[in-house]
């Protein structure tokens, strides 16, 4: 799995969840996680969550950390949702090292009663995709700023989260190669 951290700001509008975005952006033709910082303003035509779309929800933030994940080994929707939950748990684990009052409900993280994150998972004909965003600053929702994470730590947190996800999948790959089938004696 390739991990790419982009130093320049990229605003997330929902189009980045399209399949092969990593290939178009950085010639990555493998499972990948791309991390970057930027605003978030998901246009209605890019909304994947039909409930959000029906309710006319706004998905907007002036400053977020974004993670766009792509896996090519399956197009199973249930599996990508399991991976999304795994990623959410990894984010909580990393952030809990800096701030203890983080709770998880499904694919959402909260600090106190304030929602901290957004996330969506889906599939295409060739891959599974996940987008996960964490508010850096926000007037209404929870943010890294509310957690006391300083500006000079923000990109460090992004890198720690992305690398933790890569380590998890590297470890899974190693386990796959040492486990025998149950039908083999």
């Amino acid at each position: 799995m390739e991990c790419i951290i982009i130093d320049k700001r990229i605003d997330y509008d929902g189009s980045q969840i399209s399949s092969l975005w990593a290939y178009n952006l950085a010639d990555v033709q493998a499972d990948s996680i791309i991390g970057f910082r930027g605003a978030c303003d998901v246009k209605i035509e890019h909304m994947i969550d039909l409930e959000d779309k029906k309710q006319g929800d706004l998905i907007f933030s002036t400053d977020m950390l974004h993670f766009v994940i792509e896996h090519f080994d399956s197009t199973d929707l249930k599996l990508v949702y399991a991976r999304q939950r795994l990623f959410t748990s990894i984010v909580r684990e990393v952030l809990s090292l800096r701030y203890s009052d983080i709770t998880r409900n499904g694919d959402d993280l909260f600090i106190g009663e304030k929602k901290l994150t957004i996330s969506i998972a889906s599939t295409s004909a060739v891959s599974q995709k996940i987008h996960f965003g964490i508010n850096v600053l926000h007037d209404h929702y929870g943010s890294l700023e509310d957690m006391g994470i300083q500006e000079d730590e923000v990109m460090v947190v992004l890198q720690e989260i992305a690398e933790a996800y890569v380590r998890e999948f590297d470890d899974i790959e190693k386990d796959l190669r040492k486990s025998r089938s149950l039908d083999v004696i």
Side-chain angles (χ1 to χ4, degrees), residues 93-137:
E93 185 177 292
V94 171
L95 292 178
S96 291
L97 298 173
R98 291 172 170 83
Y99 188 85
S100 61
D101 188 25
I102 300 171
T103 56
R104 180 178 75 88
N105 184 359
D107 62 356
D108 295 318
L109 294 178
F110 295 83
I111 53 173
E113 298 295 317
K114 292 182 172 183
K115 187 175 176 194
L116 175 66
T117 62
I118 61 169
S119 186
I120 192 65
S122 195
T123 61
S124 73
V126 297
S127 66
Q128 299 175 335
K129 292 293 298 255
I130 299 168
H131 169 256
F132 194 94
I134 306 168
N135 287 313
V136 175
L137 304 166

Side-chain angles (χ1 to χ4, degrees), residues 131-146:
H131 169 256
F132 194 94
I134 306 168
N135 287 313
V136 175
L137 304 166
H138 206 287
D139 292 335
H140 179 68
Y141 295 106
S143 69
L144 297 179
E145 181 183 56
D146 293 342

Side-chain angles (χ1 to χ4, degrees), residues 44 47 51-58:
I44 207 83
M47 279 194 191
E51 189 173 299
D52 289 345
K53 197 171 189 174
K54 281 182 175 183
Q55 293 176 4
D57 286 350
L58 293 175

Side-chain angles (χ1 to χ4, degrees), residues 34-100:
I34 298 180
F36 57 95
R37 184 175 179 176
C40 178
D41 188 5
V42 178
K43 303 300 180 202
I44 207 83
E45 65 267 16
H46 295 299
M47 279 194 191
I48 294 173
D49 188 319
L50 294 178
E51 189 173 299
D52 289 345
K53 197 171 189 174
K54 281 182 175 183
Q55 293 176 4
D57 286 350
L58 293 175
I59 302 174
F60 179 83
S61 179
T62 58
D63 195 3
M64 292 188 107
L65 295 182
H66 299 277
F67 302 89
V68 177
I69 300 166
E70 187 164 26
H71 289 280
F72 290 96
D73 60 345
S74 174
T75 58
D76 183 284
L77 194 57
K78 188 181 284 188
L79 177 59
V80 75
Y81 272 101
R83 286 174 167 168
Q84 178 193 37
R85 301 289 173 98
L86 173 63
F87 186 76
T88 305
S89 294
I90 288 170
V91 172
R92 180 176 184 240
E93 185 177 292
V94 171
L95 292 178
S96 291
L97 298 173
R98 291 172 170 83
Y99 188 85
S100 61

